[in-house]
Amino acid sequence: MPNTSARPKHGRRTRRRRREDPARNELVSSSLESAQQCLFNQDYGTAFVHYLLVLNLAPMFKDFARESFRFTLFKWTEELDSVGRIQELFDCYEQALELFPADEVILNSMGEHLFRMGFRDEAAGHFHKALKLRPDYPEARENFYRVANWLVERWHFLMLNDHGRNRKYQQAIQKAVQSGCNTVLDIGTGTGILGMCAKKAGAAEVYACELSKTMYELACEVLTANKMDDSIKIVHMKSLEMEVPKDIPQKVSLVVTETVDAGLFGEGIIESLIHAWHHLLLPPQRGENEFQDQSATGRVIPAGATVFGMALESLEIRRHHRLCVSERDSADCRGGYKALTEPFTALNIDFNNVQELEGLSSRAVQRIRLPVTQGGELDALAVWFQLHLDEDSSLSTGPEEDTCWEQAIYPVHSTKGFVLKPQDELVVEVSCRDAFLRLCSVAVLRDGREICLDTLQDPQNTGDPVSNQTPEAELCTALACLQTEQNQTKDFCMLECSEMALLNNREYHQSFSSALSKLISQMKVKCQNKEPGSGVQSDSADLLFVLDVSEGFSLLSLIAASHGHVKAFSSVEKVKQQEVLKRLAQSNNVPEQHLEFWLNNMEDEQGMLKRPSREKLWSAIILDCVETCGLIRQKLMEKASLARCLLEDGGSIFPAKIVVQGILVESDTLLLESAVQGQEATLGIQHRSVHQPVHCTGPCVFGLLHTRVQASQ
């Protein structure tokens, strides 16, 4: 029986291998021919489907069709990307990688799409896979370094290059460990430097946690490079989720952390320390008993902090937070600001007192009266702190200090400026609701009366409100409060800082307005000459239809509509941005029907760039192709170029061209933000893993690009 059962099985396998299916072969042959024909006709979507069918049915064609399949995939996903069909795009890449899981070119291309969509960790993974398959693949290597620049935030390099900060932390940790704190937890370890300092100081057990996946992996590499991967346990998790003995075997006697931002509390240090005191740290030392065993009690480095503040005038801050920027006294703001008051103490906090940490959010609001020392427009409160590492050592982040930290800025959120005078007193409120520091300028005491800054309406009652009546500012002056009615004082719109700065960039918009005026005048003349004596009597017969395809917040559609006899279609999607444009249009007498938001009514993605009615073509397609940071929106330019077929005869793409110019500069600051400097180890710890591809030991020269938009036709 065993022999008879074995023979038929062997026979069936042999016959199955040799048997050919004529219908299957015909399907493969016809699909391959159809794929090639569709590729020739630039019908990439259909070609992609045919290639999928062929390669799934006949894997032996993979080597033969690989190049054509890649080309088809890339062309088809470009089309999907241009119309926003993102899920289908990634579905195509997943299907492709099922067929070619070890194709470095496809992996790299998918990584590029992931990076553009903001999935940087996933993008880094695909670039890394591509490099492992082909280490000499230049595109993947360049992309991998590029995404690393995003994932490893610049302040990590500044911190590692801040030798004074590193040395003081090392001394405080060494002192604590030598006094008996022999079990240590480094919260938010970053590259692992503080935990390694504790180990080098002689701590028996060192643990560390890091939430960022990228920084966790980097810290693991740094530990390995320093041969400490077996002596320091690092976990990839938030400290708030850590438990004893699940994540660490015992409570520790010392927590070291630097989870502070420029405003001290922004990275959640209060919440993490409260949790640590209850779940991860030994009880604090009681009283002043210097003979108490340090290994049996808990403590935190840093031990506490003092927060300072100062009122200031700054044109740069103003233009990012308020309309109607005044150029007044800008020359007096050396270093970018002018101090209007002396520094004041806003807050003291003891990190080794858990009751004080828990009571921080319930502290009463503190009102502080600050004498004004210099006259100037009130733009913001600047905040910095002194970090008390222990009783002997501290770090300051003040504006005069050479440190990796910057100062926190609390802008004055008022729609109108207010000029402070010497002899005034500025009233500031300080609170810590939700364990986040809040400072607010609420009033000015002048000549025995209190002027409330958050209710300024009548310029006659503000003391010296900033007046800006230049012709260029009429647009902003008319809508200083962005109100639809004079009596609706709370009816206003909030914009992002970059959007507010864009509104205040008058020179930029004046250039666009001048060039658009010329373009529209030319189009009107062409329109009149095209059909002289036409008997068409329609409300829209003499209108020019303009499409703005700019991404994000853009004023170009409003500028076009303000020239008269133009119906502009804006690409702005956010409701708050649309509301701002509507109010600006109303204030500048632009008819409501001459400005539409065409994406609000788009249901069919295929017709994204088509005219919304009558199947007419566009008179002009306009775009703001440069981001506020100076980067060129390459994809947007390509989309506008493809849209030329939707222009009517004589229609234009605006602007006509852009010119990119470059300059070489030397910058110590950029150098410090780009790599760990010098050949010496940081505190005896090697950080080669966090270097960028190019290591510079001397002055560094960077290439800067400047983009000039050629707006004229």
Side-chain angles (χ1 to χ4, degrees), residues 417-429:
F418 190 93
V419 174
L420 296 176
K421 297 179 179 180
Q423 311 306 320
D424 286 347
E425 283 189 310
L426 178 65
V427 181
V428 174
E429 288 187 348

Side-chain angles (χ1 to χ4, degrees), residues 577-603:
Q577 296 174 347
Q578 292 183 4
E579 187 63 26
V580 170
L581 288 182
K582 287 177 183 177
R583 296 184 184 191
L584 288 172
Q586 181 183 7
S587 182
N588 287 272
N589 301 316
V590 175
E592 183 179 350
Q593 64 273 19
H594 282 199
L595 179 63
E596 283 195 22
F597 301 96
W598 57 283
L599 287 177
N600 289 355
N601 304 314
M602 293 305 303
E603 296 180 358

Side-chain angles (χ1 to χ4, degrees), residues 16-300:
R16 188 172 298 162
R17 255 195 326 263
R18 294 178 179 175
R19 185 175 61 192
E20 293 187 358
D21 187 343
R24 182 190 185 96
N25 292 343
E26 178 63 27
L27 179 59
V28 169
S29 177
S30 62
S31 291
L32 185 58
E33 184 177 342
S34 296
Q36 293 169 340
Q37 184 61 42
C38 290
L39 194 58
F40 178 78
N41 295 331
Q42 298 184 358
D43 183 1
Y44 302 117
T46 307
F48 181 73
V49 172
H50 281 299
Y51 274 124
L52 284 179
L53 179 62
V54 169
L55 297 177
N56 276 293
L57 290 177
M60 71 282 297
F61 285 108
K62 284 185 179 181
D63 291 338
F64 168 75
R66 183 187 294 264
E67 291 296 330
S68 297
F69 177 75
R70 281 178 182 167
F71 180 80
T72 304
L73 169 68
F74 299 155
K75 285 294 185 180
W76 176 228
T77 51
E78 281 180 13
E79 290 187 14
L80 292 174
D81 189 18
S82 68
V83 295
R85 294 161 62 180
I86 305 305
Q87 186 57 55
E88 293 178 56
L89 181 152
F90 288 123
D91 288 344
C92 289
Y93 271 104
E94 288 177 3
Q95 292 171 317
L97 287 172
E98 286 178 4
L99 291 170
F100 298 98
D103 190 300
E104 72 279 5
V105 179
I106 295 177
L107 283 166
N108 180 69
S109 181
M110 185 173 182
E112 290 176 339
H113 282 286
L114 287 166
F115 181 75
R116 283 198 294 269
M117 301 297 171
F119 301 106
R120 290 167 186 156
D121 282 320
E122 294 81 357
H126 281 74
F127 296 143
H128 190 246
K129 286 180 184 177
L131 276 177
K132 287 177 69 176
L133 290 167
R134 185 176 150 195
D136 62 343
Y137 187 18
E139 288 84 356
R141 181 171 296 279
E142 181 180 345
N143 285 330
F144 184 69
Y145 286 139
R146 183 160 60 108
V147 75
N149 285 335
W150 284 92
L151 292 173
V152 182
E153 297 187 69
R154 290 296 179 205
W155 51 264
H156 284 290
F157 296 110
L158 288 172
M159 289 170 65
L160 291 172
N161 286 317
D162 189 339
H163 302 297
R165 164 254 184 200
N166 298 335
R167 185 175 59 256
K168 287 188 176 182
Y169 253 102
Q170 182 187 41
Q171 291 170 350
I173 292 171
Q174 187 174 19
K175 180 179 176 182
V177 171
Q178 291 176 351
S179 69
C181 297
N182 56 11
T183 54
V184 182
L185 171 62
D186 180 2
I187 294 179
T189 191
T191 60
I193 186 172
L194 299 186
M196 288 187 285
C197 284
K199 194 64 187 176
K200 288 173 69 70
E205 300 291 337
V206 179
Y207 312 100
C209 64
E210 175 57 50
L211 180 61
S212 165
K213 179 183 177 183
T214 300
M215 294 309 301
Y216 163 75
E217 293 173 349
L218 188 56
C220 290
E221 291 185 22
V222 174
L223 290 177
T224 301
N226 288 275
K227 297 181 174 54
M228 293 189 187
D229 49 320
D230 291 332
S231 56
I232 297 178
K233 178 186 177 182
I234 180 170
V235 293
H236 176 215
M237 63 191 309
K238 206 172 184 179
S239 69
L240 297 174
E241 300 170 353
M242 294 181 67
E243 300 175 5
V244 174
K246 177 183 174 183
D247 302 301
I248 57 175
Q250 60 190 353
K251 289 189 174 183
V252 299
S253 54
L254 176 63
V255 160
V256 295
T257 186
E258 200 180 32
T259 51
V260 295
D261 65 349
L264 188 61
F265 299 149
E267 292 188 17
I269 188 173
I270 299 299
E271 187 181 13
S272 63
L273 288 183
I274 291 174
H275 175 270
W277 275 115
H278 285 301
H279 302 284
L280 307 174
L281 262 169
L282 291 168
Q285 182 175 339
R286 306 236 178 237
E288 300 294 330
N289 185 0
E290 59 181 273
F291 300 105
Q292 192 170 358
D293 185 1
Q294 295 291 315
S295 64
T297 62
R299 60 182 293 191
V300 174

Side-chain angles (χ1 to χ4, degrees), residues 341-504:
T341 67
E342 293 293 335
F344 65 93
T345 300
L347 181 80
N348 283 289
I349 184 70
D350 182 358
F351 293 145
N352 283 305
N353 187 328
V354 67
Q355 289 78 24
E356 187 172 329
L357 294 172
E358 291 176 325
L360 183 64
S361 295
S362 58
R363 283 189 186 182
V365 176
Q366 181 184 8
R367 287 175 67 95
I368 303 175
R369 292 169 56 166
L370 307 175
V372 175
T373 56
Q374 279 195 92
E377 185 172 349
L378 177 62
D379 289 313
L381 296 171
V383 168
W384 63 95
F385 57 85
Q386 189 170 22
L387 206 58
H388 309 299
L389 301 182
D390 56 26
E391 60 274 13
D392 300 320
S393 182
S394 63
L395 293 169
S396 174
T397 67
E400 304 302 324
E401 300 291 334
D402 183 15
T403 175
C404 61
W405 280 291
E406 297 177 337
Q407 294 74 49
I409 297 297
Y410 291 80
V412 175
H413 292 292
S414 172
T415 53
K416 297 179 181 179
F418 190 93
V419 174
L420 296 176
K421 297 179 179 180
Q423 311 306 320
D424 286 347
E425 283 189 310
L426 178 65
V427 181
V428 174
E429 288 187 348
V430 181
S431 62
C432 290
R433 190 169 67 253
D434 302 324
F436 287 97
L437 182 64
R438 289 173 169 83
L439 280 82
C440 180
S441 303
V442 295
V444 173
L445 301 178
R446 175 178 294 173
D447 300 328
R449 62 192 181 99
E450 181 174 295
I451 305 170
C452 294
L453 297 178
D454 57 351
T455 59
L456 292 181
Q457 297 180 44
D458 182 3
Q460 300 301 320
N461 295 328
T462 63
D464 283 323
V466 176
S467 177
N468 199 356
Q469 298 298 327
T470 59
E472 301 85 7
E474 289 181 1
L475 179 65
C476 294
T477 305
L479 275 187
C481 296
L482 290 178
Q483 297 174 356
T484 54
E485 295 181 15
Q486 292 298 319
N487 61 349
Q488 293 179 321
T489 58
K490 294 186 179 180
D491 187 13
F492 57 88
C493 297
M494 297 292 292
L495 292 175
E496 302 292 338
C497 296
S498 58
E499 296 165 354
M500 191 66 74
L502 181 64
L503 277 178
N504 283 321

Side-chain angles (χ1 to χ4, degrees), residues 688-704:
R688 303 301 101 182
S689 298
V690 293
H691 272 225
Q692 295 303 305
V694 179
H695 173 66
C696 304
T697 55
C700 186
V701 176
F702 294 84
L704 297 184

